[in-house]
Amino acid sequence: MIFNSSNYQRVSTVCKVLERSRGFYPNLSSVFVRCKSDDAYVTIADVSKRVKTAKNPEYVPRKYLLKATGQETLRHLKWMLQKDILCQDIFLTGSPGSRRREIALAFLELTNRELEFIALSRDTTEADLKQRREIKSGTAYYHDQSAVRAATNGRILIIEGVEKAERNVLPVLNNLLENREMHLEDGRFLIPAARYDKLLEQYSKEKLDAWQLVRVSEDFRVIALGLPSPRYPGHPLDPPLRSRFQARYVSFPTFEVSFYNCIIF
């Protein structure tokens, strides 16, 4: 449970087991706390969501939730939880710094979601989003990149520096965000879960596998992190790409808020 006082918003996790590896210390930052969730429910104010058990716990971020202090941070987490329930992708914008990334990682830890990460730059190509061809033991094969792994395994894909996306990767991003579709270099084709399930009612799974159709998990989400451009270096977001996200501005906490958090915690 994370709280400032009983009169403020609070984050409560039902059926969570908190294991402390050390004894009690006045300074919480010196205490390692590990959270485990099995069919738990995360509640922030009046927003509640069921937390599933992670298939690969090593992909879930740790130790970021303890840093998520302050009522402004809780409001950001509540908003992100609402968008996750509505199956909407998220765009966090703000000034340069690590605050947006820390909030996103804290949200993943809170909801026990697995992480895939990609940082966009001017040198990012389609292969960085889809597949790379690698050689192993004298044999060439295609290796799935973070976007493909997140889509097929139901993970959350964090895209850092979305304002730096070049024009050659925008069609791939737009198609993945809007239609949940992507054509891979090895011949496979990603399709959304609803369409795959409808095809599964008419055809067998062996037939769909023969067609090289791959189901995109309904738990797949995208969290984009970017800077306001042209105030900062980068490209103004393409209108079709901008319309795919639900955006929220994340500002740094004021001195009064930081001072209050130091007193409480």
Side-chain angles (χ1 to χ4, degrees):
M1 183 180 294
I2 300 176
F3 62 92
N4 281 349
S5 68
S6 58
N7 296 327
Y8 287 83
Q9 295 178 355
R10 61 193 178 94
V11 178
S12 61
T13 307
V14 182
C15 300
K16 277 220 171 184
V17 179
L18 301 182
E19 297 178 354
R20 296 179 182 267
S21 60
R22 304 175 186 173
F24 173 78
Y25 289 91
N27 185 9
L28 288 180
S29 60
S30 64
V31 181
F32 173 73
V33 179
R34 183 176 60 183
C35 300
K36 295 182 179 179
S37 301
D38 294 323
D39 289 336
Y41 285 85
V42 173
T43 302
I44 306 179
D46 57 344
V47 182
S48 181
K49 184 180 187 298
R50 180 174 176 268
V51 176
K52 300 180 180 179
T53 303
K55 297 180 180 178
N56 300 281
E58 64 273 12
Y59 283 88
V60 180
R62 299 300 182 193
K63 300 184 182 180
Y64 288 94
L65 196 55
L66 290 176
K67 303 177 184 179
T69 59
Q71 296 304 307
E72 185 65 26
T73 302
L74 295 185
R75 283 191 284 268
H76 293 318
L77 293 176
K78 176 185 175 182
W79 181 84
M80 296 176 69
L81 190 61
Q82 289 175 321
K83 302 309 171 185
D84 187 22
I85 294 175
L86 295 174
C87 303
Q88 296 177 343
D89 296 324
I90 299 172
F91 177 49
L92 299 180
T93 182
S95 302
S98 60
R99 178 166 170 76
R100 291 166 292 122
R101 188 187 316 113
E102 291 177 353
I103 291 177
L105 294 175
F107 175 76
L108 266 64
E109 182 179 1
L110 179 66
T111 55
N112 203 36
R113 302 293 295 277
E114 300 176 16
L115 165 68
E116 290 288 349
F117 183 87
I118 181 173
L120 299 184
S121 65
R122 297 176 59 183
D123 300 325
T124 302
T125 62
E126 291 187 15
D128 298 318
L129 295 174
K130 299 164 66 175
Q131 289 180 319
R132 281 188 176 277
R133 197 167 187 177
E134 300 182 359
I135 298 178
K136 184 177 180 180
S137 301
T139 303
Y141 70 100
Y142 287 99
H143 179 70
D144 294 342
Q145 296 301 295
S146 56
V148 179
R149 295 195 301 267
T152 55
N153 296 304
R155 299 169 182 165
I156 290 185
L157 175 65
I158 294 184
I159 303 178
E160 178 85 27
V162 69
E163 78 282 351
K164 300 177 184 177
E166 292 292 332
R167 302 304 177 187
N168 58 331
V169 302
L170 287 179
V172 179
L173 283 177
N174 283 328
N175 198 25
L176 180 63
L177 293 171
E178 181 182 10
N179 303 317
R180 293 296 196 258
E181 294 179 351
M182 181 183 290
H183 183 271
L184 304 181
E185 299 299 331
D186 60 359
R188 293 182 298 163
F189 187 74
L190 303 183
I191 63 175
R195 187 182 306 173
Y196 186 92
D197 295 340
K198 288 183 179 179
L199 290 174
L200 197 60
E201 296 175 358
Q202 303 177 8
Y203 306 96
S204 64
K205 191 175 186 306
E206 291 75 14
K207 189 69 172 180
L208 298 182
D209 292 340
W211 291 342
Q212 295 186 317
L213 299 180
V214 180
R215 183 180 187 271
V216 174
S217 175
E218 60 274 4
D219 296 327
F220 170 60
R221 302 284 187 278
V222 176
I223 299 180
L225 311 177
L227 304 176
S229 183
R231 179 181 179 183
Y232 298 98
H235 302 290
L237 287 184
D238 191 51
L241 178 64
R242 185 176 56 205
S243 63
R244 308 289 183 255
F245 294 106
Q246 299 296 316
R248 185 175 180 87
Y249 183 82
V250 178
S251 60
F252 281 97
T254 61
F255 171 78
E256 292 78 6
V257 173
S258 301
F259 182 73
Y260 178 77
N261 292 335
C262 291
I263 296 177
I264 297 297
F265 293 93

